[in-house]
């Protein structure tokens, strides 16, 4: 175990899965803190489970830390011994809601269709409204499945608008018609679109059931709605890397602005991509060189490179 296993996510927010189980992060780790159907979120902020995990984190004993790819492990605060395992609910800043697995496409690396067959439960927005005081949260992430395909997501998004709370919505971009573009441009802070490729052929191979032309058209529709309404919506492009699309990273870095994205980030299929790169060192080195060359002409400030760093591609 590392000398430091400090994880700020244990102190700054919560993730809630479709069953109502509350965790510290979107990797549903390190354990279930409680359940939103039986407890108010504020009452879980310092319960026995989360306090125990914070103590483990401060003592270098957090079991999920070594394999975590969410946090920058080089950022460790000084004087860890002075950090309290207790925290005030009013200081919480992050709320991540995973409403369920229902989706209108079937991405090649995604386990959601299989999980949805086994568990079709969706988070109940009325329970969330009743048991979550959203006042402290600055970052509220709405996730599916496909968020814009899930009525419970749409209902909770409407509620957040009444509370004047901006949110981040994760979507595949297929359902952004004019009315939805208008709504998102006014109510959302971030729309993150999982495009997962840089060309039509690869996008439609990875995002099975999608249409490259339709997604690109919807991105432009969203950008126009933002401009017409004069809002500060950020349109993110997300590329979850698969072995089928690794070679398109340099092109994505070059063309994301043309597509309509303000910023981009990356994820990767943990089941295939790390081993593929390890077993193909020549390809990995050539790809890394191409990425570095593309970055010479890219707006690096608007590119989240964490996952590329973790994969040894920088």
């Amino acid at each position: 175990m590392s000398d430091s296993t400090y994880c700020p996510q244990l102190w700054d927010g919560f993730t809630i899965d479709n069953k109502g189980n509350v965790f510290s992060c979107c990797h549903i780790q390190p354990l279930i803190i409680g359940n939103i159907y039986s407890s108010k979120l504020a009452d879980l902020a310092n319960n026995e489970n989360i306090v125990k995990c914070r103590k483990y984190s401060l003592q270098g004993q957090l079991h999920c830390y070594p394999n975590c790819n969410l946090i920058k492990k080089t950022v460790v605060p000084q004087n860890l011994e002075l950090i309290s395992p207790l925290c005030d609910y009013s200081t919480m800043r992050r709320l991540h809601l995973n409403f369920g697995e229902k989706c209108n496409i079937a991405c090649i690396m995604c386990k959601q269709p299989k999980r949805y067959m086994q568990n079709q439960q969706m988070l109940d927005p009325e329970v969330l409204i009743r048991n979550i005081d959203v006042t402290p949260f600055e970052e509220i992430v709405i996730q599916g499945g496909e968020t814009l395909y899930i009525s419970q997501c749409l209902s909770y998004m409407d509620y957040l608008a009444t509370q004047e709370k901006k949110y981040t919505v994760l979507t595949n971009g297929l359902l952004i018609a004019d009315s939805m573009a208008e709504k998102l441009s006014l109510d959302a802070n971030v729309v993150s679109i999982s495009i997962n490729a840089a060309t039509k052929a690869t996008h439609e191979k990875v995002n099975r059931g999608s249409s490259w032309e339709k997604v690109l058209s919807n991105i432009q529709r969203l950008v126009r709605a933002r401009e017409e309404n004069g809002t500060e919506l950020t349109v993110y492009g997300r590329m979850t890397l698969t072995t089928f699309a690794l070679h398109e990273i340099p092109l994505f870095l070059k063309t994301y602005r043309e597509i309509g994205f303000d910023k981009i980030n990356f994820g990767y299929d943990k089941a295939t991509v790390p081993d593929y790169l390890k077993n193909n060192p020549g390809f990995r080195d050539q790809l890394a060189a191409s990425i570095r060359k593309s970055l010479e002409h890219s707006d690096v400030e608007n590119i989240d490179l964490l996952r590329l760093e973790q994969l040894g591609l920088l």
Side-chain angles (χ1 to χ4, degrees):
M1 185 70 70
S2 169
D3 290 339
S4 173
T5 59
Y6 174 73
C7 175
Q9 299 213 25
L10 289 165
W11 280 264
D12 72 5
F14 303 98
T15 291
I16 302 177
D17 71 11
N18 65 312
K19 298 177 184 178
N21 293 319
V22 180
F23 299 86
S24 292
C25 80
C26 62
H27 283 183
I28 57 173
Q29 292 287 349
L31 50 71
I32 297 174
I33 299 169
N35 191 283
I36 201 62
Y37 285 89
S38 57
S39 302
K40 290 189 178 298
L41 192 59
D43 294 335
L44 298 177
N46 288 298
N47 78 351
E48 180 181 357
N49 289 340
I50 188 62
V51 170
K52 177 170 63 176
C53 290
R54 290 176 188 145
K55 288 180 178 178
Y56 286 154
S57 180
L58 295 171
Q59 295 166 359
Q61 299 175 353
L62 189 65
H63 69 83
C64 56
Y65 186 90
N67 294 322
C68 180
N69 65 354
L70 287 177
I71 60 174
K72 292 185 178 180
K73 299 179 181 179
T74 56
V75 180
V76 180
Q78 296 180 344
N79 300 320
L80 283 178
E81 67 277 5
L82 300 180
I83 297 177
S84 172
L86 301 177
C87 69
D88 192 323
Y89 183 78
S90 66
T91 67
M92 294 290 176
R93 294 293 177 260
R94 175 184 51 82
L95 177 63
H96 193 137
L97 301 171
N98 190 332
F99 274 81
E101 311 286 1
K102 184 179 179 182
C103 193
N104 56 339
I105 63 174
C107 293
I108 201 165
M109 67 290 191
C110 185
K111 307 299 189 296
Q112 287 180 339
K114 182 177 180 180
R115 293 199 297 258
Y116 181 65
M117 293 297 294
Q118 299 169 345
N119 174 19
Q120 299 185 14
Q121 184 172 347
M122 301 289 161
L123 270 178
D124 184 342
E126 294 302 320
V127 172
L128 300 181
I129 291 169
R130 183 168 64 248
N131 286 344
I132 300 178
D133 174 7
V134 297
T135 303
F137 298 109
E138 298 174 350
E139 177 186 348
I140 301 176
V141 180
I142 309 293
Q143 180 181 353
E146 171 49 42
T147 51
L148 306 185
Y149 190 58
I150 298 173
S151 61
Q152 291 88 343
C153 285
L154 300 176
S155 177
Y156 195 69
M157 287 159 59
D158 288 341
Y159 164 74
L160 290 175
T162 69
Q163 302 301 300
E164 299 183 345
K165 278 290 183 179
K166 298 284 187 177
Y167 52 81
T168 293
V169 61
L170 310 184
T171 175
N172 59 41
L174 278 173
L175 299 176
I176 306 177
D178 286 339
S179 59
M180 181 56 67
E182 178 79 4
K183 174 182 175 60
L184 292 174
S185 72
L186 293 170
D187 297 342
N189 182 45
V190 174
V191 175
S192 179
I193 298 176
S194 298
I195 200 165
N196 300 332
T199 65
K200 171 182 171 64
T202 305
H203 170 81
E204 294 181 359
K205 182 174 184 177
V206 175
N207 286 24
R208 293 177 298 190
S210 185
S211 163
W212 175 256
E213 291 85 1
K214 187 170 185 179
V215 172
L216 263 58
S217 176
N218 288 347
I219 293 169
Q220 293 303 320
R221 178 179 284 116
L222 189 59
V223 171
R224 285 195 302 273
R226 174 184 64 187
E227 293 173 351
E228 291 169 359
N229 290 313
T231 63
E232 298 181 357
L233 173 71
T234 299
V235 183
Y236 255 98
R238 180 169 178 82
M239 187 175 181
T240 296
L241 302 174
T242 63
T243 57
F244 303 100
L246 282 169
H247 65 284
E248 294 192 354
I249 298 173
L251 181 59
F252 189 52
L253 293 169
K254 292 176 182 178
T255 61
Y256 77 89
R257 287 288 196 181
E258 298 171 21
I259 292 172
F261 296 130
D262 303 306
K263 300 182 178 183
I264 57 174
N265 60 19
F266 296 87
Y268 61 86
D269 180 15
K270 294 176 70 173
T272 59
V273 169
D275 284 344
Y276 183 85
L277 291 173
K278 180 180 179 181
N279 295 330
N280 294 275
F283 169 78
R284 180 196 62 211
D285 294 344
Q286 184 178 30
L287 177 60
S290 296
I291 290 172
R292 289 193 295 270
K293 186 174 181 180
S294 293
L295 288 173
E296 292 176 1
H297 307 286
S298 299
D299 186 358
V300 179
E301 289 185 359
N302 290 314
I303 303 172
D304 184 348
L305 297 170
L306 177 61
R307 301 299 171 80
L308 300 186
E309 291 175 0
Q310 292 172 343
L311 291 170
L313 293 175
L314 292 179

